[in-house]
């Protein structure tokens, strides 16, 4: 299987066709997994980033920026869902 990975090693696209510029990834890997030294690692949650592999075990860190951005988006959506109907009712 071939695919594109970002700077942190996370698989962002995959296909079964050998396309020039794509990196070979293990068949067991799925989108969102991380590749390090030819091995695929599945993150424990969607905010985890593979920092290192020590003695065969992955070391994960949390991407606080991505988590905060998602929470902000959810907060804005909840605010709009509650306040917009009140605004239009008042009009």
């Amino acid at each position: 299987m071939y695919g594109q990975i970002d700077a942190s090693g996370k698989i962002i696209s995959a296909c079964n066709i050998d396309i020039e510029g794509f990196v070979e990834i293990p068949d067991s890997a799925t989108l969102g997994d991380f590749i390090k030294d030819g091995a695929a690692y599945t993150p424990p949650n969607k905010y985890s980033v593979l920092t290192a592999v020590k003695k065969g075990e992955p070391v994960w860190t949390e991407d606080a920026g991505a988590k905060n951005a998602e929470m902000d988006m959810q907060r804005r959506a909840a605010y709009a869902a509650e306040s917009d109907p009140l605004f239009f009712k008042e009009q």
Side-chain angles (χ1 to χ4, degrees):
M1 185 184 332
Y2 296 86
Q4 291 179 317
I5 58 173
D6 65 11
S8 67
K10 190 171 189 176
I11 301 172
I12 55 175
S13 70
C15 68
N16 291 324
I17 302 169
D18 184 2
I19 299 175
E20 188 175 322
F22 273 39
V23 178
E24 188 168 357
I25 57 176
D27 288 335
S28 61
T30 60
L31 290 177
D33 283 357
F34 287 82
I35 301 293
K36 180 85 171 169
D37 298 329
Y41 299 96
T42 303
N45 62 57
K46 64 182 177 179
Y47 306 114
S48 296
V49 176
L50 183 64
T51 306
V53 178
K54 295 183 179 177
K55 296 182 182 177
E57 292 297 319
V59 178
W60 301 98
T61 58
E62 187 172 282
D63 184 358
K67 187 174 184 179
N68 290 341
E70 183 174 344
M71 288 173 31
D72 186 49
M73 182 180 64
Q74 291 173 346
R75 188 178 297 113
R76 288 174 189 256
Y79 178 78
E82 187 170 337
S83 65
D84 287 355
L86 294 173
F87 171 77
F88 290 115
K89 187 176 182 179
E90 180 62 29
Q91 295 297 317

